[in-house]
Amino acid sequence: MMKKHIIDHLATSLALLSIITTTSCSDNNTADTNQLFEVKSVLPTKVMEGQVITITGTGLSEATSVVFPRNIVVNNIAKVGNGYITVTTPAGIAAAGGIVTIEAHGETTEAPMPITVGKPTPTRVAPLDQEIKINECIEVYGDDLEFITKAYFPGKDGNDVVVEASDFKRKATGSLHVYSPMGIKAGPSQIILEDCSGQKYTLPEVTLSDEIAGGDEAASGERYVPIWEDEVYIYDWANWQYLTSDQLNLDGIQIREGLMMRLTFDNPDGASVCVCDANWGTPDVDGNGNNTVWVGAGTTELEFPISQGMVETLKAGGGIIIGGGNYTLKKIELFREYPTLWLGEYTTGWWWYLPASELNLSAITPEAGQIIRFTFTHHDAPQTFCLCDGWWGAPYIRDGGESDNNITLAAGEDFLEFEISEGMATTMNSGTETALIIGGDITITKIQIKTD
């Protein structure tokens, strides 16, 4: 009861704060003329041509133009309310960015923060050394990739198969993860990305397969799974939604910091979306450390990593608090990974004696014949990987190395899969000082067991 009282008290305080900060948002033009003509924020602060940005402040219903760096004037303004306006970023703004200025009937006001200009730069793609089947993930790394809106795959009918950004497995500034879609043409291929300005980027050649991987994706494998579905209209900042633990379905999900969460919503006019854990902790929702983000009209999904605070409150039976305004929340999903036995960053050297106590076996018991998956940091040069069970037994990884368990990973080979041996299963489950003995010159970030 005390926890509920504290949350209710916080909600009331935030609602009052919201009322105080939004009382200027009236549709009464007469009242608006008495307000200070002022810009409070520009979201996002990193932009590029074709992107819709939102400007918040007071007196903005009278705005007649928005002036971008290099004196690029835009008069086509969507006046969502006295409190905020939206405008599409034009071509030709200064590459170094700068200050945005708003004009209204002879008055001008400047944004308090500068904008910078994004420049999407895909630098590499993985995997390069194996065929990529339908439903398998192609990983693209680089800079400013959040501006990518489409991926084009060559189709077997001669037409491109287009994957929209809403269907990407992951979309972040440094990486994109895109599933290979149905209808592709098998063979060596170059996938093309497109950003919000229409500019296209041709990726290095990969080999596509028209075989289907993963079986029934609706029932198995790594994917997003719903933890909540309904329709709730979040009309303004006084309308916080408290989704308690008994409203969330977390069955079969290993919850950890950094696990991806995805919100789906109706958003015809643009909206502010805010997410907190049950203790009002703030996950990084916008990619810049803030738990609130403006999403332009028509954007219906938002993806972000959950924070340690969300992990703790979800595991303790707490829930999620969602707010903002002007959208209808429809679904919350978490990305269900294969069971993760180990997560971190360890450069192997000769040797790394991985103790059984560091393996998380809460979700699965390793068995001979299961597929184990090692994920590595990206490497542009070949690296060595060697694996033994805790008794120095040599599992079969693949042919072509110094031995079957001491292999060379090709440049760009960022993960490795093979079958668990009897010896591995025994030492991993034994609770002994050494579960696995790993060598080489590679940095490991994750060990998982695949389940389908």
Side-chain angles (χ1 to χ4, degrees):
M1 293 299 292
M2 178 62 71
K3 182 178 179 181
K4 183 179 186 301
H5 173 74
I6 292 170
I7 289 179
D8 289 344
H9 177 72
L10 284 168
T12 302
S13 300
L14 283 167
L16 288 172
L17 178 61
S18 176
I19 291 170
I20 291 170
T21 59
T22 59
T23 50
S24 63
C25 298
S26 165
D27 288 331
N28 187 311
N29 288 334
T30 302
D32 188 53
T33 59
N34 296 322
Q35 292 177 343
L36 181 65
F37 183 42
E38 180 182 26
V39 174
K40 294 181 178 178
S41 69
V42 175
L43 295 172
T45 55
K46 182 187 285 185
V47 303
M48 68 173 298
E49 178 190 351
Q51 182 183 28
V52 176
I53 66 170
T54 300
I55 302 168
T56 68
T58 55
L60 297 181
S61 66
E62 299 300 310
T64 56
S65 60
V66 177
V67 184
F68 287 82
R70 195 178 276 167
N71 201 34
I72 307 296
V73 180
V74 176
N75 301 116
N76 186 14
I77 301 172
K79 298 176 182 178
V80 183
N82 290 342
Y84 56 98
I85 58 177
T86 63
V87 64
T88 299
T89 304
I93 65 176
I99 297 295
V100 172
T101 301
I102 317 300
E103 298 177 336
H105 306 300
E107 290 188 72
T108 61
T109 183
E110 293 184 344
M113 71 288 290
I115 61 171
T116 57
V117 179
K119 185 180 180 182
T121 310
T123 56
R124 59 185 175 88
V125 61
L128 293 176
D129 66 326
Q130 62 188 54
E131 286 191 340
I132 302 167
K133 298 178 182 179
I134 293 169
N135 289 338
E136 288 187 330
C137 191
I138 296 168
E139 302 173 7
V140 182
Y141 298 90
D143 299 309
D144 294 344
L145 300 181
E146 69 269 33
F147 297 107
I148 300 298
T149 58
K150 296 177 182 177
Y152 295 85
F153 290 74
K156 60 184 178 182
D157 63 356
N159 297 314
D160 287 334
V161 180
V162 183
V163 179
E164 302 286 345
S166 59
D167 293 320
F168 290 0
K169 175 183 174 183
R170 175 180 178 139
K171 180 178 176 181
T173 188
S175 64
L176 301 175
H177 292 183
V178 185
Y179 283 122
S180 182
M182 298 290 291
I184 59 171
K185 180 182 178 180
S189 305
Q190 287 186 290
I191 299 163
I192 297 173
L193 304 180
E194 182 178 319
D195 66 28
C196 58
S197 73
Q199 183 173 343
K200 294 184 177 180
Y201 309 83
T202 302
L203 299 179
E205 186 177 275
V206 297
T207 302
L208 300 179
S209 168
D210 55 8
E211 293 183 40
I212 299 176
D216 182 5
E217 281 294 308
S220 62
E222 291 192 316
R223 64 184 184 91
Y224 273 109
V225 292
I227 63 171
W228 177 92
E229 290 186 85
D230 202 345
E231 288 200 14
V232 175
Y233 179 46
I234 300 177
Y235 51 85
D236 63 21
W237 282 97
N239 183 223
W240 291 95
Q241 297 298 312
Y242 304 92
L243 304 178
T244 59
S245 58
D246 58 2
Q247 295 174 277
L248 305 177
N249 177 18
L250 301 175
D251 293 343
I253 301 176
Q254 278 188 305
I255 301 173
R256 63 167 180 83
E257 183 180 8
L259 193 68
M260 298 304 291
M261 175 174 282
R262 183 166 69 187
L263 308 185
T264 302
F265 40 81
D266 283 339
N267 172 30
D269 302 312
S272 289
V273 180
C274 180
V275 183
C276 303
D277 62 43
N279 293 322
W280 294 98
T282 55
D284 182 5
V285 172
D286 70 346
N288 295 305
N290 304 303
N291 71 319
T292 302
V293 64
W294 172 265
V295 289
T299 299
T300 58
E301 289 186 347
L302 175 63
E303 188 181 39
F304 57 91
I306 66 174
S307 63
Q308 184 58 33
M310 294 188 76
V311 172
E312 293 170 0
T313 56
L314 288 171
K315 286 186 174 181
I320 303 169
I321 304 170
I322 298 182
N326 204 37
Y327 66 100
T328 299
L329 182 65
K330 302 183 72 173
K331 183 163 59 176
I332 303 174
E333 299 167 283
L334 280 176
F335 189 76
R336 186 181 67 195
E337 298 180 308
Y338 293 121
T340 299
L341 307 185
W342 183 89
L343 187 70
E345 187 169 314
Y346 194 98
T347 302
T348 54
W350 298 94
W351 296 86
W352 175 28
Y353 299 88
L354 177 60
S357 60
E358 291 190 17
L359 298 180
N360 177 8
L361 301 179
S362 60
I364 195 167
T365 299
E367 297 177 1
Q370 290 177 321
I371 300 298
I372 193 166
R373 177 183 176 116
F374 287 79
T375 302
F376 314 105
T377 57
H378 177 70
H379 47 102
D380 291 314
Q383 301 282 0
T384 301
F385 176 82
C386 183
L387 179 71
C388 301
D389 62 40
W391 301 326
W392 291 98
Y396 173 76
I397 297 177
R398 70 182 182 206
D399 296 324
E402 184 177 319
S403 64
D404 292 343
N405 71 317
N406 185 352
I407 67 168
T408 299
L409 295 160
E413 188 177 3
D414 294 342
F415 67 89
L416 179 67
E417 297 178 352
F418 56 93
E419 288 189 1
I420 295 174
S421 66
E422 290 281 359
M424 289 174 63
T426 301
T427 58
M428 291 167 76
N429 292 315
S430 65
T432 58
E433 186 65 25
T434 303
L436 297 172
I437 302 170
I438 306 172
D441 54 359
I442 192 74
T443 299
I444 300 173
T445 59
K446 187 161 42 176
I447 305 173
Q448 298 168 282
I449 291 181
K450 291 186 70 173
T451 56
D452 289 310

